[in-house]
Amino acid sequence: MNDLPVQNNSIMLKRTILIAAGALVLHTSANAQILKKVGSVLNSGSTSATGANVTEGEAAGGIKEALEKGVLKGIGLLNKQDGFFGNELYKVLLPPDALKAEKALRSIGMGSLVDKAILQINRSAENAVGFAAPIFVNAIKQMTITDAMKLLTGGQNSATNFFKEKTTASLVAAFSPVIDSALNQTAATKYYGEIVTKYNSLPTSFTKLDPDLKGYVTNKAVGALFDQIGKEEAAIRNNPAARTSELLKKVFGGKS
């Protein structure tokens, strides 16, 4: 008789996981088949369908694996040559208050200086995001089962929002010196400094520019990283083909 509450709790856990798995894969025809299986399991009390026999530990492990996979893929897409510069969505242009300077310098034949500054600023961002991996991995390792279950059943951006809350301060702190060093190594600081000096010396320059790039580029790099991670999270939640391990298939649903 004492085993009955344990058995009931186990059944309730399995049903909860099945409902969560079904909710997370709502948007494709393949997912509709999974939802059909989920429904039959709930109606019959069986645990033989896709996503069945999932323990709480497996569910937590599944969401952690999904997060790590999405994070590392997102970082990999940015932490390479042209990860920023060759991507119109993430390409870092000059700060907004420098746009007048850019226009003025291009008009007097100094466009190459502006182009060099923009290129090297983006090279700095590409270099910096490579330092994000251990920060995210550490956040994932510290995640509790309760955290993982909330993310498993949460909305489309719940994991990305979790990372924003847990890692933004650490990312900014880690990126700032890296960005600063990269800006110097790639000569971005030098080129931007020349832009500032040239523009500030023009008789038509009423607003003097601030030569500090570090904070601006750091914020751009962090923003791009979270945007990329959000896309990877959406792929794992909505696209069965993105679930490349047995645990991910078991927790989020299979490909068939």
Side-chain angles (χ1 to χ4, degrees):
M1 293 294 292
N2 292 336
D3 292 337
L4 186 56
V6 176
Q7 293 174 354
N8 287 339
N9 288 338
S10 178
I11 291 171
M12 288 299 294
L13 174 61
K14 290 172 181 174
R15 290 182 176 180
T16 300
I17 297 299
L18 287 169
I19 292 171
L24 288 169
V25 293
L26 186 60
H27 300 290
T28 67
S29 58
N31 297 335
Q33 297 177 21
I34 297 170
L35 286 174
K36 202 171 183 181
K37 292 178 183 179
V38 169
S40 67
V41 171
L42 292 175
N43 291 331
S44 67
S46 167
T47 57
S48 61
T50 299
N53 296 319
V54 178
T55 67
E56 193 174 55
E58 286 176 326
I63 192 66
K64 288 185 178 185
E65 182 179 329
L67 292 175
E68 188 165 345
K69 177 179 182 292
V71 163
L72 294 180
K73 184 175 180 182
I75 291 172
L77 290 172
L78 295 172
N79 180 221
K80 62 181 182 181
Q81 184 166 315
D82 290 338
F84 279 83
F85 187 74
N87 188 323
E88 289 304 313
L89 184 62
Y90 301 130
K91 185 176 181 179
V92 184
L93 302 177
L94 294 184
D97 61 355
L99 295 181
K100 287 184 178 180
E102 177 179 356
K103 184 177 180 180
L105 293 178
R106 289 191 186 279
S107 70
I108 59 174
M110 299 190 67
S112 62
L113 176 62
V114 175
D115 291 337
K116 286 178 182 178
I118 292 174
L119 173 63
Q120 299 309 329
I121 285 170
N122 282 272
R123 292 290 183 254
S124 300
E126 291 160 5
N127 181 45
V129 294
F131 291 81
I135 295 172
F136 283 116
V137 170
N138 184 56
I140 293 170
K141 287 180 178 178
Q142 293 182 4
M143 187 183 296
T144 66
I145 288 179
T146 301
D147 290 333
M149 295 300 288
K150 286 180 181 178
L151 299 186
L152 180 65
T153 58
Q156 288 292 324
N157 297 315
S158 59
T160 304
N161 290 334
F162 172 86
F163 277 135
K164 283 182 180 179
E165 179 183 345
K166 297 292 184 180
T167 67
T168 294
S170 297
L171 285 172
V172 170
F175 276 20
S176 290
V178 175
I179 290 283
D180 193 37
S181 176
L183 287 171
N184 287 322
Q185 289 178 4
T186 62
T189 302
K190 172 180 176 292
Y191 291 129
Y192 186 67
E194 289 180 15
I195 288 175
V196 170
T197 300
K198 294 288 186 184
Y199 179 71
N200 287 346
S201 67
L202 294 177
T204 55
S205 175
F206 298 106
T207 303
K208 303 301 180 182
L209 292 180
D210 181 355
D212 181 24
L213 271 180
K214 182 174 66 174
Y216 172 74
V217 179
T218 296
N219 289 334
K220 285 289 187 180
V222 171
L225 193 52
F226 281 129
D227 187 69
Q228 189 59 238
I229 289 170
K231 291 179 179 179
E232 295 305 321
E233 177 186 3
I236 291 172
R237 287 186 184 276
N238 300 321
N239 181 7
R243 302 166 202 147
T244 54
S245 75
E246 291 305 315
L247 183 58
L248 289 179
K249 292 174 190 175
K250 188 172 185 180
V251 172
F252 289 94
K255 295 184 179 182
S256 60

